């Protein structure tokens, strides 16, 4: 792809001009479909991924920074992450079978509620805000590490470090086994 066309597409995206989506689809659609298909290995899912990716691209168009990555790299990452999220979602739904004859809906008990975890949000106020923000994004807002990186405009490596340190700080409050339970319960 020519650099001029790429610059033109970026300008259109930043101007929120709908022609940008057409140009993106015409010039990158097949390649992004290939990226999605390689991850999900299903034609229908890959098509869904590409559609969702273009929606994300449109919504996040103002976050593209040509100094950080080429346009294709940015598009590739969004599509690949969307495909991974889609695959996780499909696998999670497939794993959750409904068993009508065996139900513990009314039998939660104390273990099901885990009262010791009910004050986690309050205890997050006891740790530094830079760790708190990352933990909230990952655990309470359900973001992936990459999504948190994009949303918070923090490098992915920093997100991972702050997650590790944040969990270490919570371990000081709750103890080792409790932090493991927190991580498992929200993941």
């Amino acid at each position: 792809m020519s650099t001029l066309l790429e610059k033109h597409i970026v300008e259109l995206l930043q101007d929120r001009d709908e022609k940008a989506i057409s140009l993106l689809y015409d010039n990158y659609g097949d390649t992004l479909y290939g990226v999605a298909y390689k991850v999900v290995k299903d034609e229908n899912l890959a098509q869904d991924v590409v559609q969702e990716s273009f929606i994300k691209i449109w919504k996040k168009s103002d976050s593209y920074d040509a100094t950080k990555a080429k346009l294709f790299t940015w598009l590739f990452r969004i599509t690949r992450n969307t495909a991974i999220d889609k695959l996780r979602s499909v696998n999670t739904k497939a794993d959750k079978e409904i068993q009508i004859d065996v139900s513990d809906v009314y039998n939660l008990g104390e273990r099901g509620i885990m009262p010791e975890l009910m004050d986690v949000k309050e205890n997050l106020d006891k740790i530094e805000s830079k760790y708190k923000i990352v933990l909230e994004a990952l655990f309470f807002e359900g973001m992936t590490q990459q999504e948190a990186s994009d949303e918070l405009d923090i490098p992915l490596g920093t997100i991972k470090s702050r997650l590790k340190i944040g969990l270490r700080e919570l371990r000081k409050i709750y103890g080792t086994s409790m932090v493991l339970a927190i991580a498992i319960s929200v993941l």
Side-chain angles (χ1 to χ4, degrees):
M1 161 165 293
S2 77
T3 312
L4 289 175
L5 182 58
E6 186 176 307
K7 285 181 182 179
H8 180 65
I9 292 172
V10 170
E11 288 171 2
L12 291 173
L13 272 174
Q14 291 173 343
D15 291 341
R16 307 292 286 168
D17 190 326
E18 293 178 11
K19 292 178 204 169
I21 293 296
S22 267
L23 287 171
L24 282 172
Y25 190 79
D26 291 343
N27 290 286
Y28 295 103
D30 292 339
T31 306
L32 295 178
Y33 172 81
V35 169
Y37 183 79
K38 188 171 183 176
V39 174
V40 298
K41 298 190 182 359
D42 179 272
E43 289 180 14
N44 291 328
L45 278 180
Q47 290 171 356
D48 288 348
V49 166
V50 171
Q51 183 176 359
E52 290 176 27
S53 297
F54 274 95
I55 291 169
K56 288 181 181 180
I57 290 164
W58 180 252
K59 287 181 177 179
K60 295 181 176 187
S61 62
D62 58 334
S63 70
Y64 172 68
D65 183 355
T67 62
K68 290 185 179 178
K70 289 188 173 258
L71 179 62
F72 176 74
T73 304
W74 185 70
L75 299 171
F76 171 86
R77 287 180 183 156
I78 290 173
T79 304
R80 183 175 173 277
N81 291 340
T82 302
I84 291 169
D85 290 344
K86 177 66 86 176
L87 192 59
R88 286 179 183 157
S89 172
V90 168
N91 288 340
T92 300
K93 287 177 187 174
D95 290 344
K96 293 182 181 178
E97 286 185 24
I98 298 175
Q99 297 179 1
I100 296 172
D101 57 335
V102 180
S103 173
D104 61 354
V105 170
Y106 299 106
N107 191 19
L108 282 176
E110 191 175 307
R111 282 189 160 268
I113 295 173
M114 296 177 73
E116 63 274 7
L117 301 180
M118 295 178 84
D119 66 344
V120 171
K121 282 192 175 185
E122 290 78 23
N123 281 322
L124 280 178
D125 290 334
K126 296 178 182 174
I127 64 175
E128 272 187 75
S129 65
K130 63 183 179 182
Y131 306 122
K132 175 185 173 184
I133 291 168
V134 170
L135 290 171
E136 285 177 340
L138 296 173
F139 295 133
F140 297 110
E141 295 178 29
M143 294 182 189
T144 63
Q145 291 178 357
Q146 183 63 53
E147 289 171 339
S149 172
D150 294 340
E151 185 70 27
L152 300 172
D153 197 29
I154 298 172
L156 182 59
T158 304
I159 291 288
K160 291 178 181 200
S161 297
R162 288 182 182 177
L163 168 62
K164 183 178 178 181
I165 294 168
L167 288 174
R168 186 181 315 140
E169 293 301 311
L170 283 178
R171 191 178 308 124
K172 291 176 185 176
I173 297 169
Y174 288 105
T176 303
S177 61
M178 190 55 59
V179 171
L180 180 59
I182 291 168
I184 290 171
S185 72
V186 295
L187 290 177

